[in-house]
Amino acid sequence: MTDDTHMLRSGDLTATIKAQGAEMCSLKHKDGTEFVWQAGPAWPRHAPLLFPIVGRLAKDEMRHLGKTYRMTQHGFARDCRFAWAERGESRCSLVLEDSDATRALYPFAFRLTAAYVLDDAGLDLSLRVVNTGGETLPVSLGGHPAFNWPIQGGVPKESYALTFTDEEPSPVRRVENGLLLAATDPSPVRGTVLPLSEALFASDAVILDPVNSHGVRYAATDGTGPWLEMSWRGFRELGVWSKPTGAPFLCIEPWRGYASPKGFDGEFSDKPGLMHIAPGAEEQLSFRIEVGTS
């Protein structure tokens, strides 16, 4: 345990959390199976938190009350050091509050808490956003965990699929240069099953808006080998993303919010997809990752 990282332990599982970005950087079984992408040249992150935006704004600019602020893709929380609030054997929590540095980018008061709890079956992440200011807080929040694809070395990537808890027949959204397109694509989900291939991501992320399901299973289609199940509460959209260039990771991303629609250039508070939190109020969202090795 260092000031920079904290390892959680429960049963056969360990999880490692970083103070930088309050980011999970490992979820590992004692048999050696690592479920989380270990960063690298293809993508240098593990599981960043997206706050106070999900996706991009046009020109990376946020407009509020006649002023323009620079806000880059997915916001600034992933690049901020959180403060440790609790550090235990199987749980920890971290907090980020507004500061002079954040207000230069985002002129709102807030407190964001990320609380991790590891048990013998998996890891819970609870996220809490409190409006500590005197005006309505326009905000989005999302997870961006990247998992090894394939989970087990030597297995073809096309042998994996996502299986949702419910059918997902609605057209999916796509982005262009990071901005949400008005046109939709037919759902690539066949009933509840989304077959995985690198070609699926030739047009960037697959965005389910809204997502019907409350969870998804990520596993080899023959039912063998390590598997992962992810469920969520409070999130309304889901992004599924990888790079179509052989990158060995798959991101399963529960979102509350999304990129600016292409052509939108108005006040930030009018951007579609935001939560609007009243002064003194809060929003709580969570997701859980359960894992197994056979």
Side-chain angles (χ1 to χ4, degrees):
M1 184 171 73
T2 70
D3 284 344
D4 294 329
T5 63
H6 183 72
M7 180 176 283
L8 307 177
R9 295 178 174 85
S10 183
D12 294 336
L13 300 179
T14 60
T16 304
I17 313 301
K18 297 196 300 183
Q20 188 73 13
E23 185 179 13
M24 171 186 65
C25 54
S26 175
L27 180 58
K28 193 171 184 178
H29 191 274
K30 74 173 185 179
D31 72 358
T33 302
E34 173 64 76
F35 291 89
V36 174
W37 161 246
Q38 290 302 287
W43 192 59
R45 301 181 188 268
H46 305 276
L49 300 181
L50 314 182
F51 175 94
I53 62 170
V54 171
R56 283 194 67 190
L57 305 179
K59 303 176 187 174
D60 294 328
E61 292 179 348
M62 188 190 78
R63 308 192 197 293
H64 180 65
L65 300 181
K67 293 186 178 180
T68 299
Y69 301 83
R70 179 165 174 78
M71 178 69 69
T72 55
Q73 186 174 31
H74 294 323
F76 52 75
R78 62 184 184 169
D79 297 316
C80 290
R81 185 182 178 90
F82 284 57
W84 297 105
E86 179 187 7
R87 305 178 78 174
E89 176 71 15
S90 61
R91 64 177 59 226
C92 67
S93 61
L94 307 94
V95 178
L96 179 68
E97 297 188 271
D98 63 283
S99 63
D100 289 345
T102 70
R103 284 191 292 269
L105 304 171
Y106 179 68
F108 300 97
F110 66 86
R111 183 169 61 252
L112 171 62
T113 303
Y116 291 91
V117 179
L118 185 69
D119 58 39
D120 292 0
L123 182 68
D124 280 294
L125 171 58
S126 298
L127 298 166
R128 180 172 175 244
V129 185
V130 180
N131 182 353
T132 57
E135 64 177 309
T136 298
L137 178 66
V139 66
S140 285
L141 181 61
H144 200 316
F147 304 109
N148 286 321
W149 179 31
I151 306 174
Q152 187 172 35
V155 178
K157 294 171 79 173
E158 293 75 14
S159 296
Y160 284 82
L162 296 181
T163 303
F164 292 90
T165 57
D166 298 277
E167 293 191 356
E168 298 288 349
S170 299
V172 298
R173 311 293 297 272
R174 294 285 195 169
V175 294
E176 184 177 83
N177 297 321
L179 301 178
L180 194 68
L181 294 171
T184 58
D185 285 352
S187 177
V189 183
R190 302 170 186 169
T192 60
V193 178
L194 176 59
L196 294 174
S197 68
E198 292 176 357
L200 182 65
F201 306 107
S203 299
D204 212 300
V206 176
I207 302 168
L208 284 70
D209 169 31
V211 60
N212 296 329
S213 299
H214 57 80
V216 68
R217 181 180 178 89
Y218 167 44
T221 54
D222 65 2
T224 64
W227 55 268
L228 178 151
E229 291 183 353
M230 190 169 176
S231 57
W232 49 84
R233 295 184 65 183
F235 295 98
R236 297 181 179 176
E237 298 86 26
L238 188 77
V240 182
W241 176 71
S242 187
K243 292 188 173 183
T245 53
F249 65 82
L250 178 76
C251 294
I252 306 172
E253 309 175 36
W255 295 344
R256 185 73 176 270
Y258 40 79
S260 288
K262 195 170 183 179
F264 176 83
D265 199 24
E267 282 279 302
F268 179 67
S269 60
D270 294 330
K271 188 184 87 68
L274 293 173
M275 298 181 282
H276 293 88
I277 306 175
E282 65 181 59
E283 286 279 353
Q284 296 192 49
L285 305 92
S286 64
F287 61 85
R288 175 172 173 80
I289 302 164
E290 293 194 1
V291 297
T293 56
S294 61

